[in-house]
Amino acid sequence: MITGASSGIGKGLALEIASRGASVGLLARREELLKEIVSEVQARNAKAVYATADVRDAKAVREAADKFRKELGPIDVLIANAGMGTSDHATRLTPEHAANVIGINVLGAVNSVAAVASEMVARGQGRLVAISSLAAYRGLAKSAAYCASKAALSSYFESVRIDLRNTGVEVTIIHPGFIKTDLTAGREAKMPYLMELDYGVSKIIYAIEKEKKTYAFPWQLATIVRAGLLMPTAMYDWIAARNSFRE
Ligand SMILES: NC(=O)c1ccc[n+]([C@@H]2O[C@H](COP(=O)([O-])OP(=O)(O)OC[C@H]3O[C@@H](n4cnc5c(N)ncnc54)[C@H](OP(=O)(O)O)[C@@H]3O)[C@@H](O)[C@H]2O)c1
């Protein structure tokens, strides 16, 4: 089950996973795009079922998961990928906008986990995958809502991982850097180590197959971000203010 499967990383994952023979349940809002991806999956001799749902709607996400289970069988892997990017200076960030970002990026993933976790625990197997971001590690310029959402998402999945220890259900938290998708398209700010979609997808699949608990890439940017965690606050602020990845 892949949320946010209609474009970008979610679509790339769906097609690559289908190429390896797995059946995929595709969830997003844009039906026309999902229908096209179902056809592309079928052309790869694999099965796909789509469900249109907004991840903020817990009932709709549960019904989508039920549909996937009914038509494809038990859900082995959830990839909670649906998300939105956003750029706002702190003085222009409205509470409504922040609530929307958190609603999709965090509560949407919570709804997705809620739709599959108990069935996975009952079966004693399954994997919950979060597509978080390197933006989860520390605050970045003009990204308060996005950074807050990804930090919350990573912490949420970490807690879930601890709670589900010894149940047979595993958790993988992915922290990608910049990948070429609609989310990064049109940005004028320099995005260091910007990756092609195919490369990003291959790294995410590697992390899932290797059963990583957490995985950050590309290693160059991940190393810089981890170094930021060790910096004194004043030094971090000085560097982060001079390195905005948003206009
Ligand atoms: N691209 C990057 O550089 C990058 C880096 C780190 C992390 N990420 C994360 O990767 C994930 C995928 O992003 P992307 O880069 O592939 O961008 P994208 O092409 O814009 O894809 C976003 C996906 O999320 C879905 N989505 C958005 N809001 C939704 C909602 N309310 N309900 C259901 N689905 C919703 C969209 O589908 P519909 O509009 O059809 O609903 C779309 O399929 C996001 O969580 C993003 O934060 C991206």
Side-chain angles (χ1 to χ4, degrees), residues 3-10 27-30 33 53-56 81-85 104-105 131-134 146 150 176-184:
T3 71
S6 60
S7 65
I9 295 169
L27 182 151
R29 294 166 300 180
R30 287 172 291 176
L33 295 181
D54 187 317
V55 286
R56 289 168 292 188
N81 163 75
M84 65 176 288
I104 293 173
N105 292 6
I131 306 298
S132 184
S133 167
L134 287 177
Y146 189 70
K150 291 301 184 179
F178 301 105
I179 299 174
K180 285 185 192 168
T181 67
D182 291 350
L183 190 138
T184 46

Side-chain angles (χ1 to χ4, degrees), residues 115-192:
V116 303
S118 45
E119 182 249 359
M120 284 182 177
V121 170
R123 289 174 61 228
Q125 67 179 83
R127 181 164 297 275
L128 304 169
V129 181
I131 306 298
S132 184
S133 167
L134 287 177
Y137 285 73
R138 282 197 87 157
L140 297 169
K142 299 172 190 163
S143 303
Y146 189 70
C147 288
S149 75
K150 291 301 184 179
L153 180 68
S154 294
S155 293
Y156 166 75
F157 273 85
E158 190 156 74
S159 291
V160 169
R161 190 173 63 222
I162 293 164
D163 284 348
L164 297 188
R165 259 171 88 85
N166 305 321
T167 64
V169 181
E170 308 284 342
V171 172
T172 298
I173 307 168
I174 315 260
H175 295 106
F178 301 105
I179 299 174
K180 285 185 192 168
T181 67
D182 291 350
L183 190 138
T184 46
R187 277 202 219 169
E188 283 168 23
K190 186 170 178 286
M191 289 175 278

Side-chain angles (χ1 to χ4, degrees), residues 7-172:
S7 65
I9 295 169
K11 176 181 177 182
L13 286 169
L15 296 179
E16 184 55 33
I17 290 168
S19 298
R20 293 161 187 236
S23 304
V24 284
L26 311 172
L27 182 151
R29 294 166 300 180
R30 287 172 291 176
E31 187 167 21
E32 283 313 309
L33 295 181
L34 291 174
K35 277 184 184 168
E36 283 171 24
I37 298 165
V38 167
S39 303
E40 288 185 58
V41 167
Q42 286 164 348
R44 288 164 165 78
N45 293 318
K47 282 191 208 163
V49 171
Y50 78 86
T52 49
D54 187 317
V55 286
R56 289 168 292 188
D57 182 343
K59 184 166 170 280
V61 175
R62 185 171 293 280
E63 284 168 1
D66 287 343
K67 181 178 177 185
F68 299 151
R69 277 188 284 262
K70 192 167 164 227
E71 298 190 25
L72 299 172
I75 296 168
D76 299 308
V77 181
L78 164 71
I79 304 181
N81 163 75
M84 65 176 288
T86 171
S87 173
D88 283 293
H89 190 276
T91 54
R92 290 188 292 275
L93 177 62
T94 64
E96 294 75 19
H97 182 65
N100 198 32
V101 176
I102 305 263
I104 293 173
N105 292 6
V106 185
L107 301 180
V110 173
N111 290 338
S112 306
V113 169
V116 303
S118 45
E119 182 249 359
M120 284 182 177
V121 170
R123 289 174 61 228
Q125 67 179 83
R127 181 164 297 275
L128 304 169
V129 181
I131 306 298
S132 184
S133 167
L134 287 177
Y137 285 73
R138 282 197 87 157
L140 297 169
K142 299 172 190 163
S143 303
Y146 189 70
C147 288
S149 75
K150 291 301 184 179
L153 180 68
S154 294
S155 293
Y156 166 75
F157 273 85
E158 190 156 74
S159 291
V160 169
R161 190 173 63 222
I162 293 164
D163 284 348
L164 297 188
R165 259 171 88 85
N166 305 321
T167 64
V169 181
E170 308 284 342
V171 172
T172 298

